[in-house]
Amino acid sequence: MALPKHPVVEILEQRREAGSVPGRRDDNARVALAVEGGGMRGIVSAAMLIALADLGFANAFDEVYGSSAGAINAAYLFQGQRWDALSLYYADLGTKEFIDRRRVLRGRPIVNFRYLRDQVLMEHRPIRLDLIERSGVRLFVAITNVDDRKLELVGEFSSSREFIEALVAGAWLPILAGPPVVFRQHRCLDGGVLLEHPSAAAISSGCSHVLVLSTRYPRPRGQPEMWRRVLRRYLNSIESGLGEDYWRHTLATMNHRVRLHERIQSDGSSGSILNIAPRAGWKAIDRLEQDTGVLLNAAKEGYEATVESLTGSAARTVYAISRLETEAT
């Protein structure tokens, strides 16, 4: 006897079979997609999004909540350029133009986000707001407003340039990228400073169904890692109290990922939330990873985990693996 499908899978399949598109639905559901980033670990969610598109689910969502690289990945998917989001990591971001640890010796940021903005997102692989708006999906970018010490979910943009600036502001890594970047007259940092996971934003928005794409396996944490303590001090140094806001947020949400994963396992009785994450035993890659082979393996893991979660079949990944290998060479 077949197990009942998770309610999120059911609504995605119903919309796919009906040819439903954003803005013209024949159901009362409000379906959100929450996409995690994590620096170069964002290649995992980029591959997950490609899997969604390959399975025919790209038009099944009404809202998208993206954090850091996850928002950039989603932007490419919903403007119809799924493979650009993946090759971005090993062709553009795995270079010394973007990440160079030796720059710290010259007093410069390790990660060059201005290169990402000006050379990649505006010129080489342009993000186009008009194409995303044409998709009918509303994309929210998580940004930490340093001056006001608050998380902002930005969903309205005046131009492609402003949209790109929002994407970069929402991915601006503390310390590694240098001083906060200015967006809409406020200093800003990566949305993850005050948002542990984009699923929290999607769930609190009141959507009836939420598909979550996580870029690492949910493991319980003990005490916060040392780098979080360093980040706490740094954030307090650039805006009094921001580090304490971050610390309270970190302690309160330390096990959010694990609780989310446990909540939606097996039978869907938790409600309409489905979290897709790399499988147990897979070691998450570093947010500054540059090795093409490591990045490619991470992409394979993201693709396979997504197909298995949504179809129950691993056989569907064979063709995708050969495509990934071809794209990287």
Side-chain angles (χ1 to χ4, degrees):
M1 180 177 178
L3 293 173
K5 290 183 179 178
H6 192 284
V8 171
V9 177
E10 283 189 328
I11 191 66
L12 294 180
E13 291 183 346
Q14 289 170 10
R15 287 186 167 186
R16 179 183 62 189
E17 298 310 311
S20 176
V21 297
R24 298 195 300 274
R25 305 292 192 194
D26 56 4
D27 57 54
N28 295 320
R30 184 173 155 215
V31 184
L33 176 65
V35 190
E36 186 181 31
M40 296 298 284
R41 198 169 61 246
I43 195 171
V44 176
S45 57
M48 288 175 165
L49 289 169
I50 292 174
L52 287 181
D54 285 351
L55 292 171
F57 294 139
N59 289 326
F61 303 97
D62 304 301
E63 300 172 11
V64 182
Y65 295 82
S67 177
S68 190
I72 296 174
N73 294 340
Y76 278 116
L77 175 69
F78 290 104
Q79 72 177 39
Q81 294 170 273
R82 64 185 78 168
W83 284 97
D84 271 21
L86 190 74
S87 57
L88 170 79
Y89 289 90
Y90 49 78
D92 298 285
L93 305 187
T95 64
K96 291 191 180 300
E97 285 86 356
F98 184 56
I99 300 174
D100 188 349
R101 290 174 171 83
R102 295 174 302 178
R103 282 198 289 259
V104 73
L105 301 176
R106 304 191 295 273
R108 297 169 55 193
I110 293 175
V111 185
N112 186 355
F113 272 92
R114 289 182 172 82
Y115 161 77
L116 170 65
R117 180 191 63 198
D118 300 337
Q119 302 299 316
V120 181
L121 302 185
M122 288 186 177
E123 296 292 336
H124 187 203
R125 303 173 189 272
I127 295 287
R128 289 181 51 186
L129 180 62
D130 61 316
L131 295 178
I132 296 168
E133 291 177 336
R134 195 178 302 168
S135 75
V137 173
R138 190 173 183 191
L139 200 162
F140 293 89
V141 181
I143 300 175
T144 295
N145 183 325
V146 172
D147 296 324
D148 292 340
R149 291 167 45 191
K150 69 178 183 180
L151 172 72
E152 295 186 350
L153 296 172
V154 184
E156 297 288 344
F157 312 95
S158 61
S159 64
S160 291
R161 182 179 183 86
E162 187 185 48
F163 181 48
I164 291 170
E165 289 176 347
L167 291 171
V168 172
W172 198 271
L173 295 171
I175 304 177
L176 298 175
V181 66
V182 175
F183 174 69
R184 292 183 178 174
Q185 301 182 331
H186 290 284
R187 293 178 299 157
C188 296
L189 288 171
D190 190 304
V193 170
L194 295 180
L195 180 67
E196 177 67 12
H197 196 285
S199 60
I203 293 169
S204 64
S205 73
C207 289
S208 61
H209 301 74
V210 181
L211 178 66
V212 184
L213 304 182
S214 298
T215 58
R216 54 182 172 172
Y217 184 78
R219 292 183 176 86
R221 298 183 193 167
Q223 291 298 309
E225 304 95 324
M226 180 57 67
W227 70 267
R228 289 183 178 270
R229 299 177 187 277
V230 172
L231 181 54
R232 176 188 185 182
R233 291 195 295 270
Y234 169 75
L235 294 173
N236 277 327
S237 74
I238 63 173
E239 181 64 31
S240 179
L242 180 61
E244 301 315 305
D245 293 340
Y246 164 75
W247 195 251
R248 285 193 295 271
H249 158 78
T250 296
L251 295 177
T253 61
M254 188 174 292
N255 290 313
H256 168 82
R257 188 185 305 269
V258 176
R259 293 197 304 271
L260 173 70
H261 196 67
E262 291 173 346
R263 180 181 173 189
I264 51 77
Q265 288 302 292
S266 66
D267 61 1
S269 60
S270 60
S272 301
I273 303 166
L274 175 60
N275 182 38
I276 299 177
R279 295 161 294 190
W282 184 76
K283 183 179 179 181
I285 64 174
D286 186 81
R287 65 180 58 219
L288 297 182
E289 182 60 63
Q290 292 176 280
D291 184 273
T292 299
V294 173
L295 293 170
L296 183 58
N297 284 330
K300 291 179 183 178
E301 176 61 30
Y303 193 105
E304 290 180 356
T306 302
V307 173
E308 288 186 10
S309 294
L310 295 177
T311 70
S313 171
R316 298 288 296 276
T317 66
V318 175
Y319 176 56
I321 290 173
S322 65
R323 287 173 63 189
L324 288 171
E325 292 171 340
T326 300
E327 286 287 325
T329 58

